[in-house]
Amino acid sequence: LNEWDGTSWKGVVNLTNNTTAHNPDIAVDAAGKLHLVYHETANGQIMYMQRDGSGIWSTPENLSRTSEEAREPTIVVAKGSLVVAWKQNVGGTNWEVYSCEGSHGSWSAPVNASQTTGDVGVWGCWSNSYLHAGGSGTVHLVWEDNSSGTYDIKSRLRKSKE
């Protein structure tokens, strides 16, 4: 990560150790810890890393845990919990939006958040899923979906657990 000194960015740190990584997204929690998710193309998985208060990055964790390709992650902090969503290939031809939540070292199993019915084809839930956390801890997930043959914007809501 680069640091801004008020005039320019200083220093570059390679976080993924020369693996082929794409689509990074980052969130900052109330304690100032940084949370990074990205698509690692070598294994086709969604990876997570955390930077602690001393500036040390954790070892990458596999969040998608699938034999299928997973891409384009997004992350938010919602009332102290992290929520991650991504698109994932299902059965070789369909794409769905999956999500999990938790924290460094303790993540829920991935769940199908889009739950598209029928054969969505290769362009099904294709891209651009986004998360937003409201002040109450409610998480809003939106994505682009072509399962009906036209591109629609779909949405799901996850209410706070409290």
Side-chain angles (χ1 to χ4, degrees):
L1 252 107
N2 290 330
E3 293 183 23
W4 177 255
D5 69 3
T7 306
S8 63
W9 290 100
K10 303 291 182 190
V12 174
V13 177
N14 184 347
L15 301 176
T16 57
N17 298 316
N18 298 317
T19 62
T20 304
H22 296 284
N23 308 110
D25 194 20
I26 198 162
V28 181
D29 66 22
K33 291 180 183 173
L34 299 177
H35 303 275
L36 170 71
V37 290
Y38 60 94
H39 166 223
E40 186 173 291
T41 56
N43 63 16
Q45 300 297 300
I46 302 306
M47 306 302 286
Y48 164 83
M49 294 171 65
Q50 171 188 289
R51 182 179 147 180
D52 65 21
S54 64
I56 305 296
W57 285 93
S58 66
T59 301
E61 296 176 57
N62 182 339
L63 299 185
S64 48
R65 300 175 286 204
T66 179
S67 60
E68 305 275 5
E69 179 82 11
R71 301 179 182 171
E72 300 177 13
T74 182
I75 185 170
V76 295
V77 178
K79 283 220 164 187
S81 182
L82 298 168
V83 180
V84 179
W86 61 90
K87 77 176 182 185
Q88 182 170 309
N89 187 277
V90 178
T93 58
N94 298 339
W95 290 91
E96 297 283 348
V97 177
Y98 274 71
S99 69
C100 68
E101 62 183 284
S103 61
H104 174 58
S106 178
W107 293 93
S108 68
V111 296
N112 184 332
S114 54
Q115 299 176 352
T116 303
T117 58
D119 181 12
V120 297
V122 75
W123 300 105
C125 293
W126 179 241
S127 64
N128 303 328
S129 59
Y130 298 97
L131 291 169
H132 177 75
S136 66
T138 299
V139 175
H140 303 270
L141 169 65
V142 294
W143 68 95
E144 188 179 290
D145 187 311
N146 188 32
S147 60
S148 67
T150 60
Y151 283 96
D152 296 310
I153 304 301
K154 302 267 179 104
S155 174
R156 287 195 90 97
L157 177 69
R158 189 212 70 170
K159 295 195 176 197
S160 174
K161 292 182 177 183
E162 297 177 9

